[in-house]
Amino acid sequence: MRESLRRLTSDELVTRTMGGKRRVRVELLDGEHINVDIDRKARGADLLDRVCEDLDVLERDYFGLLHQQRGDPRVWVDLNRRLSKTFRNEPWDVRLAVKFYPPEPSELRDDVSRYQISLAVRRDLMEGRLTCSTITYALLASYILQAELGDSTGHLAPTALSDYRAAPLHAVTPDMGERARELHARHKGQTPAEAELNYLENAKKLPLYGAELHCARDSEEVDIVLAVCASGVSVYRDGVLMNRFPWAKITKISYNKKSYTLKLRPSEFDAFETQLSFKLPSTRACKKLWRCSVEHHIFFRRESPVKVERIAGFPRLGSRRISCRRTLRQMRADPPLPREIVA
């Protein structure tokens, strides 16, 4: 009986065979869900394009799709792979997310893309991947209030900050709420698009803005966090920045089993290249970090996507499939597709 109910729920709510199609349940950045019917042989890129079309997002290359795999809730869907090979079992559940955060939000040309990226930053703050001081929480919250409510009326409901996901619950205090209300009053006249841009312009200054975090250990077996972002790879210990390696300084990124290695070009005081290795909890985690690093390097540093070849001597080192359709330079050179005007 229980198995029958489980099968019935799965068939009705999420993935159903409909003439070679599958129904995918997509969680959006605002927490809402939509169902997308897509061909069973479609690739991850096809699904991402369908979701972006439904949301009217033009600058799609900043975005990606997350799914859960073996207990890890943040595994990126391979855009070049068939969905039927990615999802071995039903249901097909994915979550829209920002994969590459724009280092300069002011360069975004699409208001809808900017809005979706601001939702992603709000989600990062709410889920604890991004943290800041109480003063910064209040400043960011004030721009959300301006975007959502318009000009201040001098009164703010006690639950407004939580209702609009302006700040995580642990940061909401009477003092912070009062400070956010005061700052909100100063933003009079700003349109929602202007408020969202100002929100991102302040959020981009946070140390972990747009960073993918990976738990690891250094050569002394000390627990650290490796943060991969637009500028490079950073090392944090107990929340404190210990070292930063810009992409321009990194000459090679590799992994072997649980070992992740960065090779750094020599400085003016060094005669040889420096090689740093970090230990990850598993081979799967190490491969995930390597892939994240390579994709970020390609997107933010390269003129165009490049094919990543297998390393000689390591015939079974893992997949070299990279999900990066266009680089940031290509996006800046090519304007987004014009939005259709419906009469």
Side-chain angles (χ1 to χ4, degrees):
M1 181 65 177
R2 184 175 301 171
E3 181 64 26
S4 298
L5 289 174
R6 185 182 300 116
R7 190 181 303 114
L8 180 62
T9 302
S10 176
D11 290 342
E12 288 183 348
L13 294 181
V14 192
T15 52
R16 185 185 307 165
T17 304
M18 297 170 294
K21 290 185 178 292
R22 286 291 187 272
R23 175 160 294 174
V24 186
R25 188 169 184 259
V26 184
E27 182 181 351
L28 304 179
L29 285 162
D30 59 3
E32 298 293 326
H33 291 83
I34 61 172
N35 289 327
V36 177
D37 295 334
I38 197 161
D39 191 280
R40 188 176 181 277
K41 296 181 180 180
R43 299 175 301 125
D46 300 323
L47 177 57
L48 177 61
D49 286 339
R50 281 287 306 279
V51 174
C52 289
E53 285 173 10
D54 288 347
L55 296 176
D56 210 14
V57 172
L58 299 183
E59 297 176 278
R60 303 171 184 177
D61 296 276
Y62 291 112
F63 298 86
L65 299 169
L66 291 170
H67 70 109
Q68 183 167 333
Q69 185 180 78
R70 298 187 181 183
D72 185 352
R74 291 186 60 82
V75 177
W76 292 102
V77 172
D78 189 337
L79 299 182
N80 300 314
R81 192 181 189 190
R82 279 189 182 182
L83 293 169
S84 58
K85 293 184 178 180
T86 298
F87 299 97
R88 298 294 183 180
N89 302 309
E90 299 179 356
W92 289 7
D93 278 331
V94 299
R95 190 173 81 180
L96 180 67
V98 177
K99 189 171 187 177
F100 305 113
Y101 286 71
E104 295 298 333
S106 60
E107 295 182 356
L108 290 168
R109 306 171 185 178
D110 177 26
D111 289 345
V112 178
S113 300
R114 185 184 303 115
Y115 171 67
Q116 293 295 329
I117 292 172
S118 70
L119 287 178
V121 174
R122 287 159 68 173
R123 186 160 195 161
D124 289 342
L125 287 166
M126 295 296 292
E127 296 181 356
R129 287 188 299 276
L130 192 60
T131 59
C132 57
S133 65
T134 302
I135 295 176
T136 304
Y137 274 129
L139 176 61
L140 294 175
S142 68
Y143 286 116
I144 293 176
L145 295 175
Q146 180 66 26
E148 297 284 356
L149 300 176
D151 292 343
S152 172
T153 60
H155 173 72
L156 185 65
T159 60
L161 295 181
S162 57
D163 290 344
Y164 293 104
R165 298 191 305 159
L169 291 177
H170 70 82
V172 178
T173 63
D175 290 341
M176 197 277 271
E178 179 61 24
R179 181 60 177 164
R181 187 190 65 78
E182 293 175 355
L183 291 170
H184 179 202
R186 300 181 185 180
H187 305 327
K188 184 177 181 180
Q190 290 186 16
T191 65
E194 291 171 340
E196 287 156 8
L197 177 57
N198 288 325
Y199 177 85
L200 291 175
E201 285 293 328
N202 283 275
K204 76 176 185 182
K205 302 173 185 177
L206 300 179
L208 293 177
Y209 164 77
E212 282 280 333
L213 306 180
H214 302 260
C215 296
R217 288 187 175 183
D218 62 14
S219 58
E220 299 177 353
E221 295 295 319
V222 176
D223 290 334
I224 59 171
V225 172
L226 296 174
V228 183
C229 63
S231 59
V233 181
S234 300
V235 180
Y236 286 84
R237 182 186 300 173
D238 296 328
V240 178
L241 177 64
M242 304 301 297
N243 216 329
R244 181 183 287 113
F245 307 112
W247 293 126
K249 192 175 181 180
I250 299 174
T251 60
K252 185 177 180 181
I253 307 169
S254 61
Y255 80 97
N256 185 11
K257 296 182 179 179
K258 298 181 182 180
S259 180
Y260 169 83
T261 302
L262 296 176
K263 186 173 287 188
L264 310 177
R265 66 176 74 254
S267 66
E268 56 182 333
F269 304 105
D270 300 324
F272 305 98
E273 290 182 322
T274 301
Q275 185 166 294
L276 300 174
S277 292
F278 305 91
K279 183 182 291 185
L280 276 292
S282 65
T283 302
R284 182 176 295 274
C286 196
K287 177 182 174 181
K288 180 181 177 181
L289 171 57
W290 170 85
R291 183 172 177 173
C292 173
S293 304
V294 172
E295 289 178 340
H296 274 71
H297 180 269
I298 290 175
F299 183 82
F300 290 107
R301 294 285 297 177
R302 293 282 188 170
E303 290 282 352
S304 60
V306 296
K307 183 178 179 180
V308 181
E309 302 290 348
R310 290 184 180 273
I311 300 175
F314 295 93
R316 298 182 62 84
L317 194 56
S319 172
R320 298 284 145 184
R321 302 173 69 96
I322 301 299
S323 289
C324 182
R325 296 189 288 181
R326 288 197 304 169
T327 66
L328 182 61
R329 296 186 185 185
Q330 288 176 318
M331 292 183 66
R332 288 171 173 171
D334 301 331
L337 297 174
R339 179 173 288 108
E340 294 184 2
I341 299 176
V342 179

